[in-house]
Amino acid sequence: MERAHRAKLQRRFGPQLKGKRVVCLDIPDDYDFMQPELVALLEKKVARHLPSPLGGGGGSHREPTTGGRRSRPDEG
């Protein structure tokens, strides 16, 4: 991670970063916003740094929930 990026994070989020580890994912700035290849790369690289929703190791992508409410087939 470039020193300027680390300094910017520290200025903006200093108190929240105290005692936290900042991880550089080494992803080049060559992608468009939400480009599928970028999303896939982020999911792959971030997963190893976050806890799994079920515990034990790297996480995986989960689909958003509907707040516990299931839609019925007739609700279109």
Side-chain angles (χ1 to χ4, degrees), residues 59-76:
S60 63
H61 176 73
R62 292 191 314 169
E63 292 297 319
T65 64
T66 58
R69 181 177 179 271
R70 291 187 173 181
S71 61
R72 298 189 337 220
D74 61 315
E75 288 185 354

Side-chain angles (χ1 to χ4, degrees), residues 20-75:
K20 304 284 190 310
R21 181 173 163 222
V22 175
V23 176
C24 179
L25 299 176
D26 291 319
I27 297 175
D29 191 15
D30 298 333
Y31 299 94
D32 290 326
F33 179 72
M34 297 300 289
Q35 183 175 335
E37 295 84 358
L38 172 61
V39 173
L41 188 57
L42 282 166
E43 288 176 340
K44 178 181 174 185
K45 289 198 172 210
V46 169
R48 66 182 83 151
H49 299 287
L50 297 177
S52 169
L54 301 176
S60 63
H61 176 73
R62 292 191 314 169
E63 292 297 319
T65 64
T66 58
R69 181 177 179 271
R70 291 187 173 181
S71 61
R72 298 189 337 220
D74 61 315
E75 288 185 354

Side-chain angles (χ1 to χ4, degrees), residues 5-19:
H5 293 149
R6 187 174 291 277
K8 189 174 185 178
L9 286 170
Q10 192 63 41
R11 278 192 309 272
R12 188 165 178 190
F13 303 106
Q16 293 88 351
L17 291 176
K18 189 170 181 130

